[in-house]
Amino acid sequence: MPDAIVPPAFAAAQYKKFALAAAALAAVFAVPLWKLFSFAAGDELYSYIPLMPLVWGYLVWTQKSELPRGSTPARKLAALFGLAGLAAAAGYVAMSRSAAPLENSLALSTLAWLLCLAGAGCWFLGGATMRFLAFPFALLLFMLPFPVPVRELVEALLQRGSAAAAQGLFVLAGTPLLREGMVFYLPGMTIKVAPECSGIHSTLVLLITSLVAGYMILRRSGNRAALCLAVIPLALLRNGFRVFVIGELCVHVGPRMIDSPIHHRGGPLFFVLSLVPFFLLLYFLRKSET
């Protein structure tokens, strides 16, 4: 049964109450949130985490004129989120007293905060408003660090896919090579595709970009899904192309190119190159809708 719309006079009060509840939750979770942002600032993979609340605020702000003028509280859903948040918080307290990796405990504490925040939204903003804001709230899940086993699995998959893409490019270029696992034996040079070459950070940033761009620009769910799925082959081709370029430079210029800036600091350049086909695909998907 759809939510009943409450009188507009209550809307401002609802948003104020939610803002106060969000501030209270930020105070309660101040210590684990501070640990999260400090950890993200020192880890290249998670450098995007402090930007996620800003992205959330921007998405809400750009749609403030379309927000429901008020809706009845979804108390049952709020209680469900609250109980789940308390369970996650209890898990965080227990894990923080053990020798578990920091990423694992931070993932639990952040999940607890987000669940409680969603519960506060259901209680104070109401069901209709929270359904409208479902995507911005879901996007905050990217604030969760990967548990260590998940991170290692994602890195391994990207590493192997990137190596396969690089091998294909070397074959297309006619470069003699012998591949053993992640190691490429090229003329006069040996290159290993390490886990650090998986491009997991760039892939996550591109995935977040695809989600936000699809939400704001595209209207068909199929087109949004296609844009997100395109991130995977784009990521593998980007990483494989980077390995291919470095390998070709080592073969044709000299082995010293393995220590060149294009290897150690060329990540942003290849990320920008991957944005070209990404935005072309976005353009054609948007054009197909009009």
Side-chain angles (χ1 to χ4, degrees):
M1 180 177 180
D3 287 321
I5 302 301
V6 302
F10 290 96
Q14 284 183 301
Y15 294 129
K16 288 180 181 178
K17 289 178 181 178
F18 172 73
L20 290 174
L25 286 172
V28 171
F29 286 90
V31 173
L33 286 176
W34 175 259
K35 290 181 180 179
L36 173 68
F37 289 123
S38 299
F39 171 74
D43 193 299
E44 183 181 355
L45 172 58
Y46 300 114
S47 59
Y48 61 86
I49 284 182
L51 299 177
M52 298 313 300
L54 300 178
V55 175
W56 178 89
Y58 174 76
L59 291 177
V60 174
W61 178 261
T62 56
Q63 301 174 89
K64 64 182 186 299
S65 61
E66 303 174 27
L67 286 172
R69 295 300 180 184
S71 60
T72 55
R75 292 189 173 91
K76 291 183 179 180
L77 191 58
L80 183 62
F81 276 121
L83 290 174
L86 290 176
Y92 162 70
V93 173
M95 187 174 291
S96 60
R97 295 175 179 175
S98 65
L102 180 60
E103 296 99 312
N104 295 8
S105 61
L106 288 179
L108 265 180
S109 65
T110 307
L111 179 62
W113 170 65
L114 291 178
L115 288 170
C116 291
L117 187 65
C122 292
W123 187 277
F124 294 109
L125 297 180
T129 302
M130 284 301 290
R131 280 194 294 271
F132 188 84
L133 297 176
F135 176 80
F137 271 92
L139 202 65
L140 290 176
L141 290 173
F142 281 99
M143 294 182 66
L144 274 67
F146 286 122
V148 173
V150 177
R151 175 176 178 169
E152 292 175 348
L153 175 62
V154 174
E155 284 184 337
L157 292 175
L158 290 174
Q159 179 187 11
R160 293 171 184 173
S162 301
Q167 181 180 10
L169 292 173
F170 281 124
V171 171
L172 287 175
T175 303
L177 83 155
L178 174 64
R179 178 186 170 189
E180 293 183 357
M182 298 297 107
V183 180
F184 289 87
Y185 297 96
L186 302 171
M189 188 65 191
T190 301
I191 294 179
K192 181 179 180 180
V193 182
E196 295 78 10
C197 302
S198 64
I200 183 173
H201 175 267
S202 300
T203 303
L204 281 173
V205 172
L206 191 59
L207 176 60
I208 295 170
T209 303
S210 70
L211 288 169
V212 174
Y215 178 74
M216 298 186 67
I217 298 174
L218 302 177
R219 293 294 173 263
R220 296 176 184 170
S221 57
N223 286 347
R224 290 175 176 176
L227 186 65
C228 292
L229 292 175
V231 169
I232 299 175
L234 280 177
L236 299 181
L237 285 173
R238 179 196 63 235
N239 298 337
F241 182 67
R242 185 179 181 183
V243 174
F244 167 74
V245 169
I246 295 170
E248 290 293 306
L249 289 173
C250 290
V251 170
H252 297 289
V253 178
R256 65 183 183 278
M257 295 303 296
I258 196 68
D259 296 317
S260 64
I262 197 170
H263 180 203
H264 296 292
R265 294 186 294 275
L269 172 62
F270 290 96
F271 176 75
V272 171
L273 289 176
S274 68
L275 291 179
V276 176
F278 173 81
F279 282 114
L280 283 174
L281 175 60
L282 177 61
Y283 169 78
F284 286 113
L285 290 175
R286 181 71 181 104
K287 192 174 181 180
S288 70
E289 295 183 343
T290 57

